Amino acid sequence: QVQLVQSGGGLVQAGGSLRLSCAASGRTFSMYAMGWFRQAPGKEREFVGTINWSGTSTFYADSVKGRFTCSRDNANNTVFLQMNSLKPEDTAVYYCAATAYQGGSYYKEQYAYWGQGTQVTVSS
């Protein structure tokens, strides 16, 4: 079992930056790859980025590539999403999630554990 608790988020102007954190409970955190997803009102939850179990490999959606960065600190059971050059279309509830697919995954169906979500709002 993995429990995920998110922090960060909030309101920022376009072009600004935010960092989301996701703290995991349990001693097996390093066995899981982690992912970030987001859901805007009236839309499906979509993939944002994923980081493998060791933190050596990441993949991103084209819409955030070059602006968002996933990282993790296995010693402290935490994963981060650094978001730079934010745009109004990045406005959504952001979720972290854990998957047993240690290389990471684009597919939300492959994630067994989810954080509570945190709102990110980017004003124009």
Side-chain angles (χ1 to χ4, degrees):
Q1 284 277 358
V2 177
Q3 292 185 326
L4 303 174
V5 178
Q6 296 179 227
S7 59
L11 175 64
V12 65
Q13 288 189 331
S17 297
L18 284 173
R19 189 174 82 155
L20 305 183
S21 299
C22 175
S25 64
R27 295 174 292 176
T28 59
F29 173 70
S30 61
M31 295 176 61
Y32 292 89
M34 300 297 293
W36 289 94
F37 292 79
R38 67 187 182 187
Q39 188 166 18
K43 294 190 176 181
E44 294 286 324
R45 190 171 299 188
E46 66 174 7
F47 170 76
V48 173
T50 187
I51 184 165
N52 71 338
W53 69 275
S54 62
T56 57
S57 178
T58 54
F59 298 97
Y60 301 96
D62 287 344
S63 58
V64 307
K65 200 172 295 182
R67 300 188 297 121
F68 289 14
T69 303
C70 296
S71 61
R72 65 190 295 163
D73 178 354
N74 284 348
N76 290 295
N77 286 7
T78 305
V79 64
F80 305 97
L81 181 67
Q82 178 66 43
M83 304 183 292
N84 298 329
S85 302
L86 282 160
K87 305 175 181 180
E89 51 264 44
D90 294 319
T91 295
V93 176
Y94 283 71
Y95 297 88
C96 66
T99 177
Y101 291 82
Q102 293 189 338
S105 174
Y106 302 101
Y107 304 108
K108 59 183 181 292
E109 294 80 8
Q110 294 181 343
Y111 288 80
Y113 305 103
W114 290 84
Q116 81 277 18
T118 187
Q119 178 69 45
V120 171
T121 302
V122 185
S123 64
S124 56

